[in-house]
Amino acid sequence: FIPVAEKSGLITEITWQLLDQIAIDYNAWVDAGLQPGRVAFNADELFLREVDFSKRITRIVNSMNSTECPIDLEITENVALDRESDTISTAMAIARDLGMGIALDDFGTGYASLSSIVGLDVDIIKVDQSFVRMMTKNAESKSIVLTLIYLCRQLNKKCVVEGVETKEEYEFCRDLGCDEIQGYYFYKPAPFVEVMDALSAEQRMKKA
């Protein structure tokens, strides 16, 4: 349904509703004595061009029960490379001023080159899962992931490898030295109550 929502323009309001729900769920987890950590959401160009972007995003962040902004904004390469758009640049600056981390999602599958990435105003680079799928099978994909991790380190950007689904993939990423690893190997999307149970179990393990 996402392509349909993007084409019709409904994706913007869906994203705002998602953020409202994130704030509600986050506060409920905190009120239960849990530590949810950070939450990332994807934003497209239309969302960042929203007329009331500053007012609405500030309200949501301020409503969250946290001393620091617990939200990261994820954008695709085509949005990040749109440097001619003052509106998008302003929206990203507002997000960063609120304490959001800016993440470049699915890196390696779009249009960003090594020369263009140097000037990208992002804090996090997420290596696309297509490289992860192949790196346990061929040396070329493993070398690409290793190179991207090294590049992030040299540019002082956090490297997140996404789409990790097996123990073998996890061990590869861990041994390569990436900053964070994301994927179904750890947990799959789940409803509010199940996430609360998972956070509670994790917290009990840390205290044990």
Side-chain angles (χ1 to χ4, degrees), residues 10 21 35 44 50 60 63 72 104 107 131 138 178 182-184 196:
L10 289 173
Q21 193 62 50
Q35 299 174 351
D44 73 342
E50 179 80 4
I60 290 170
S63 73
D72 289 332
L104 181 63
F107 179 69
F131 298 113
N138 65 70
C178 63
Q182 172 186 325
Y184 283 10
M196 175 175 278

Side-chain angles (χ1 to χ4, degrees), residues 10 41 55 62 85 122 133 139 149 156 169 171 191 196 208:
L10 289 173
F41 78 100
K55 180 180 178 181
N62 289 341
S85 172
V122 298
R133 292 287 172 275
I149 291 172
N156 293 316
E169 291 172 352
E171 290 175 344
M196 175 175 278

Side-chain angles (χ1 to χ4, degrees), residues 125-178:
I125 293 178
K126 304 186 73 173
V127 180
D128 187 71
Q129 63 180 349
S130 59
F131 298 113
V132 176
R133 292 287 172 275
M134 296 302 298
M135 71 179 182
T136 59
K137 300 179 178 64
N138 65 70
E140 289 84 358
S141 292
K142 180 180 178 181
S143 295
I144 289 174
V145 175
L146 182 60
T147 300
L148 292 175
I149 291 172
Y150 178 78
L151 175 65
C152 291
R153 195 164 294 154
Q154 294 302 305
L155 296 176
N156 293 316
K157 301 183 188 296
K158 180 187 290 185
C159 180
V160 177
V161 177
E162 57 184 351
V164 174
E165 296 187 355
T166 67
K167 182 179 180 181
E168 184 182 16
E169 291 172 352
Y170 160 69
E171 290 175 344
F172 259 73
C173 294
R174 179 199 62 194
D175 294 343
L176 289 177
C178 63

